[in-house]
């Protein structure tokens, strides 16, 4: 699907390094569930090129560490804050903006 950009809704892309907690009650596979949760952060429109770096089972959840490419239409600072404020995302690597 092609994304049409306007000045108001400029689409940017970046790579993020995150650790996402997936509860043991999750229905889908771990990678799909991690992508879905990352894609659910307000301002993120697409998640692609996922590279899982680690899976760490815990008592009530599994930690999935991955690097993924995301597309977003908010400022990089807002994106960084929204990801960091999301309860099930533990680690955010460096975010640097690059335009599509």
């Amino acid at each position: 699907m092609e994304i049409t950009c306007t000045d108001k809704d400029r689409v940017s892309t970046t790579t993020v390094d995150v650790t996402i907690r997936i509860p043991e009650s999750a229905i889908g596979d771990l990678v799909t569930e991690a992508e879905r949760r990352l894609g659910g952060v307000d301002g993120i429109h697409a998640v692609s090129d996922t590279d899982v770096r680690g899976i760490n089972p815990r008592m009530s959840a599994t930690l999935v560490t991955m690097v993924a490419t995301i597309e977003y239409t908010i400022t990089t600072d807002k994106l960084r804050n929204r990801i960091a404020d999301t309860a099930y995302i533990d680690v955010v690597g460096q975010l640097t903006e690059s335009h599509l």
Side-chain angles (χ1 to χ4, degrees):
M1 178 175 106
E2 185 175 335
I3 298 176
T4 304
C5 301
T6 65
D7 288 339
K8 181 180 175 187
D9 293 325
R10 183 186 57 148
V11 175
S12 297
T13 185
T14 192
T15 301
V16 295
D17 184 356
V18 294
T19 298
I20 301 175
R21 287 189 307 278
I22 309 299
E24 64 181 30
S25 61
I27 296 173
D29 68 81
L30 292 173
V31 175
T32 301
E33 188 65 21
E35 290 172 340
R36 185 185 71 73
R37 288 171 178 265
L38 180 60
V41 173
D42 188 31
I44 295 178
H45 298 282
V47 177
S48 62
D49 300 328
T50 304
D51 181 18
V52 175
R53 301 289 172 97
I55 296 176
N56 188 2
R58 299 290 178 128
M59 187 71 127
S60 62
T62 299
L63 301 179
V64 177
T65 301
M66 65 183 197
V67 175
T69 301
I70 58 172
E71 293 178 3
Y72 59 100
T73 56
I74 56 178
T75 67
T76 303
D77 288 337
K78 282 184 183 178
L79 177 65
R80 185 178 297 108
N81 290 336
R82 287 183 185 175
I83 291 173
D85 289 345
T86 302
Y88 48 81
I89 300 180
D90 290 331
V91 176
V92 177
Q94 181 177 348
L95 287 172
T96 54
E97 183 178 19
S98 61
H99 305 288
L100 282 179

